[in-house]
PDB file of all heavy atoms in Angstrom:
ATOM      1  N   PHE A1123     -47.724 -41.352-194.486  1.00 94.00           N
ATOM      2  CA  PHE A1123     -47.160 -42.070-195.619  1.00 94.00           C
ATOM      3  C   PHE A1123     -45.845 -41.423-196.032  1.00 94.00           C
ATOM      4  O   PHE A1123     -44.800 -42.118-196.182  1.00 94.00           O
ATOM      5  CB  PHE A1123     -48.164 -42.113-196.781  1.00 94.00           C
ATOM      6  CG  PHE A1123     -47.515 -42.176-198.145  1.00 94.00           C
ATOM      7  CD1 PHE A1123     -46.722 -43.289-198.485  1.00 94.00           C
ATOM      8  CD2 PHE A1123     -47.639 -41.135-199.046  1.00 94.00           C
ATOM      9  CE1 PHE A1123     -46.149 -43.316-199.745  1.00 94.00           C
ATOM     10  CE2 PHE A1123     -47.086 -41.196-200.296  1.00 94.00           C
ATOM     11  CZ  PHE A1123     -46.294 -42.288-200.635  1.00 94.00           C
ATOM     12  N   LEU A1124     -45.863 -40.131-196.209  1.00 96.00           N
ATOM     13  CA  LEU A1124     -44.656 -39.453-196.718  1.00 96.00           C
ATOM     14  C   LEU A1124     -43.552 -39.443-195.658  1.00 96.00           C
ATOM     15  O   LEU A1124     -42.353 -39.575-195.976  1.00 96.00           O
ATOM     16  CB  LEU A1124     -44.973 -38.049-197.211  1.00 96.00           C
ATOM     17  CG  LEU A1124     -45.715 -38.012-198.534  1.00 96.00           C
ATOM     18  CD1 LEU A1124     -46.379 -36.697-198.801  1.00 96.00           C
ATOM     19  CD2 LEU A1124     -44.749 -38.384-199.682  1.00 96.00           C
ATOM     20  N   SER A1125     -43.931 -39.312-194.377  1.00 96.00           N
ATOM     21  CA  SER A1125     -42.896 -39.383-193.296  1.00 96.00           C
ATOM     22  C   SER A1125     -42.189 -40.731-193.360  1.00 96.00           C
ATOM     23  O   SER A1125     -40.949 -40.765-193.339  1.00 96.00           O
ATOM     24  CB  SER A1125     -43.561 -39.198-191.915  1.00 96.00           C
ATOM     25  OG  SER A1125     -44.199 -37.961-191.831  1.00 96.00           O
ATOM     26  N   SER A1126     -42.970 -41.807-193.368  1.00 96.00           N
ATOM     27  CA  SER A1126     -42.316 -43.131-193.363  1.00 96.00           C
ATOM     28  C   SER A1126     -41.577 -43.384-194.660  1.00 96.00           C
ATOM     29  O   SER A1126     -40.492 -44.020-194.669  1.00 96.00           O
ATOM     30  CB  SER A1126     -43.339 -44.217-193.124  1.00 96.00           C
ATOM     31  OG  SER A1126     -44.367 -44.124-194.111  1.00 96.00           O
ATOM     32  N   PHE A1127     -42.067 -42.842-195.783  1.00 96.00           N
ATOM     33  CA  PHE A1127     -41.401 -42.997-197.068  1.00 96.00           C
ATOM     34  C   PHE A1127     -40.052 -42.341-197.030  1.00 96.00           C
ATOM     35  O   PHE A1127     -39.015 -42.929-197.381  1.00 96.00           O
ATOM     36  CB  PHE A1127     -42.277 -42.406-198.170  1.00 96.00           C
ATOM     37  CG  PHE A1127     -41.598 -42.256-199.487  1.00 96.00           C
ATOM     38  CD1 PHE A1127     -41.455 -43.336-200.351  1.00 96.00           C
ATOM     39  CD2 PHE A1127     -41.052 -41.047-199.899  1.00 96.00           C
ATOM     40  CE1 PHE A1127     -40.836 -43.231-201.557  1.00 96.00           C
ATOM     41  CE2 PHE A1127     -40.406 -40.914-201.099  1.00 96.00           C
ATOM     42  CZ  PHE A1127     -40.296 -42.001-201.943  1.00 96.00           C
ATOM     43  N   PHE A1128     -40.015 -41.062-196.598  1.00 97.00           N
ATOM     44  CA  PHE A1128     -38.765 -40.326-196.600  1.00 97.00           C
ATOM     45  C   PHE A1128     -37.772 -40.961-195.628  1.00 97.00           C
ATOM     46  O   PHE A1128     -36.557 -40.992-195.899  1.00 97.00           O
ATOM     47  CB  PHE A1128     -38.962 -38.868-196.243  1.00 97.00           C
ATOM     48  CG  PHE A1128     -39.277 -37.983-197.429  1.00 97.00           C
ATOM     49  CD1 PHE A1128     -40.574 -37.756-197.876  1.00 97.00           C
ATOM     50  CD2 PHE A1128     -38.280 -37.382-198.142  1.00 97.00           C
ATOM     51  CE1 PHE A1128     -40.842 -36.962-198.949  1.00 97.00           C
ATOM     52  CE2 PHE A1128     -38.536 -36.584-199.254  1.00 97.00           C
ATOM     53  CZ  PHE A1128     -39.819 -36.383-199.664  1.00 97.00           C
ATOM     54  N   THR A1129     -38.272 -41.453-194.474  1.00 97.00           N
ATOM     55  CA  THR A1129     -37.351 -42.039-193.512  1.00 97.00           C
ATOM     56  C   THR A1129     -36.739 -43.313-194.079  1.00 97.00           C
ATOM     57  O   THR A1129     -35.482 -43.463-194.001  1.00 97.00           O
ATOM     58  CB  THR A1129     -38.090 -42.395-192.217  1.00 97.00           C
ATOM     59  OG1 THR A1129     -38.899 -41.289-191.832  1.00 97.00           O
ATOM     60  CG2 THR A1129     -37.137 -42.708-191.073  1.00 97.00           C
ATOM     61  N   LEU A1130     -37.525 -44.187-194.645  1.00 97.00           N
ATOM     62  CA  LEU A1130     -37.001 -45.460-195.146  1.00 97.00           C
ATOM     63  C   LEU A1130     -36.053 -45.222-196.334  1.00 97.00           C
ATOM     64  O   LEU A1130     -34.912 -45.683-196.322  1.00 97.00           O
ATOM     65  CB  LEU A1130     -38.180 -46.384-195.550  1.00 97.00           C
ATOM     66  CG  LEU A1130     -37.835 -47.673-196.260  1.00 97.00           C
ATOM     67  CD1 LEU A1130     -36.845 -48.496-195.441  1.00 97.00           C
ATOM     68  CD2 LEU A1130     -39.113 -48.495-196.482  1.00 97.00           C
ATOM     69  N   VAL A1131     -36.564 -44.537-197.363  1.00 97.00           N
ATOM     70  CA  VAL A1131     -35.771 -44.364-198.566  1.00 97.00           C
ATOM     71  C   VAL A1131     -34.520 -43.476-198.257  1.00 97.00           C
ATOM     72  O   VAL A1131     -33.438 -43.695-198.760  1.00 97.00           O
ATOM     73  CB  VAL A1131     -36.606 -43.761-199.693  1.00 97.00           C
ATOM     74  CG1 VAL A1131     -35.805 -43.604-200.969  1.00 97.00           C
ATOM     75  CG2 VAL A1131     -37.801 -44.647-199.977  1.00 97.00           C
ATOM     76  N   GLY A1132     -34.744 -42.430-197.380  1.00 97.00           N
ATOM     77  CA  GLY A1132     -33.625 -41.572-197.027  1.00 97.00           C
ATOM     78  C   GLY A1132     -32.536 -42.304-196.259  1.00 97.00           C
ATOM     79  O   GLY A1132     -31.344 -42.059-196.449  1.00 97.00           O
ATOM     80  N   THR A1133     -32.922 -43.223-195.352  1.00 97.00           N
ATOM     81  CA  THR A1133     -31.930 -43.976-194.602  1.00 97.00           C
ATOM     82  C   THR A1133     -31.112 -44.879-195.558  1.00 97.00           C
ATOM     83  O   THR A1133     -29.862 -44.952-195.410  1.00 97.00           O
ATOM     84  CB  THR A1133     -32.606 -44.869-193.577  1.00 97.00           C
ATOM     85  OG1 THR A1133     -33.426 -44.062-192.751  1.00 97.00           O
ATOM     86  CG2 THR A1133     -31.572 -45.591-192.724  1.00 97.00           C
ATOM     87  N   HIS A1134     -31.782 -45.463-196.537  1.00 97.00           N
ATOM     88  CA  HIS A1134     -31.057 -46.248-197.526  1.00 97.00           C
ATOM     89  C   HIS A1134     -30.068 -45.356-198.307  1.00 97.00           C
ATOM     90  O   HIS A1134     -28.922 -45.708-198.534  1.00 97.00           O
ATOM     91  CB  HIS A1134     -32.023 -46.967-198.465  1.00 97.00           C
ATOM     92  CG  HIS A1134     -31.341 -47.762-199.533  1.00 97.00           C
ATOM     93  ND1 HIS A1134     -31.067 -47.245-200.774  1.00 97.00           N
ATOM     94  CD2 HIS A1134     -30.882 -49.028-199.536  1.00 97.00           C
ATOM     95  CE1 HIS A1134     -30.436 -48.153-201.504  1.00 97.00           C
ATOM     96  NE2 HIS A1134     -30.324 -49.236-200.771  1.00 97.00           N
ATOM     97  N   GLY A1135     -30.614 -44.152-198.737  1.00 97.00           N
ATOM     98  CA  GLY A1135     -29.729 -43.249-199.497  1.00 97.00           C
ATOM     99  C   GLY A1135     -28.520 -42.796-198.685  1.00 97.00           C
ATOM    100  O   GLY A1135     -27.413 -42.674-199.217  1.00 97.00           O
ATOM    101  N   LEU A1136     -28.735 -42.607-197.366  1.00 97.00           N
ATOM    102  CA  LEU A1136     -27.626 -42.215-196.512  1.00 97.00           C
ATOM    103  C   LEU A1136     -26.571 -43.297-196.434  1.00 97.00           C
ATOM    104  O   LEU A1136     -25.383 -43.043-196.467  1.00 97.00           O
ATOM    105  CB  LEU A1136     -28.199 -41.923-195.097  1.00 97.00           C
ATOM    106  CG  LEU A1136     -27.401 -40.996-194.188  1.00 97.00           C
ATOM    107  CD1 LEU A1136     -27.252 -39.614-194.825  1.00 97.00           C
ATOM    108  CD2 LEU A1136     -28.084 -40.863-192.837  1.00 97.00           C
ATOM    109  N   HIS A1137     -27.064 -44.545-196.411  1.00 97.00           N
ATOM    110  CA  HIS A1137     -26.134 -45.701-196.397  1.00 97.00           C
ATOM    111  C   HIS A1137     -25.307 -45.692-197.688  1.00 97.00           C
ATOM    112  O   HIS A1137     -24.084 -45.943-197.637  1.00 97.00           O
ATOM    113  CB  HIS A1137     -26.881 -47.008-196.222  1.00 97.00           C
ATOM    114  CG  HIS A1137     -27.158 -47.376-194.796  1.00 97.00           C
ATOM    115  ND1 HIS A1137     -28.145 -46.809-194.085  1.00 97.00           N
ATOM    116  CD2 HIS A1137     -26.603 -48.274-193.990  1.00 97.00           C
ATOM    117  CE1 HIS A1137     -28.179 -47.299-192.856  1.00 97.00           C
ATOM    118  NE2 HIS A1137     -27.242 -48.208-192.802  1.00 97.00           N
TER     119      HIS A1137
END
Side-chain angles (χ1 to χ4, degrees):
Chain A
F1123 151 63
L1124 286 164
S1125 301
S1126 56
F1127 169 82
F1128 272 91
T1129 312
L1130 173 55
V1131 182
T1133 305
H1134 178 268
L1136 204 60
H1137 275 76

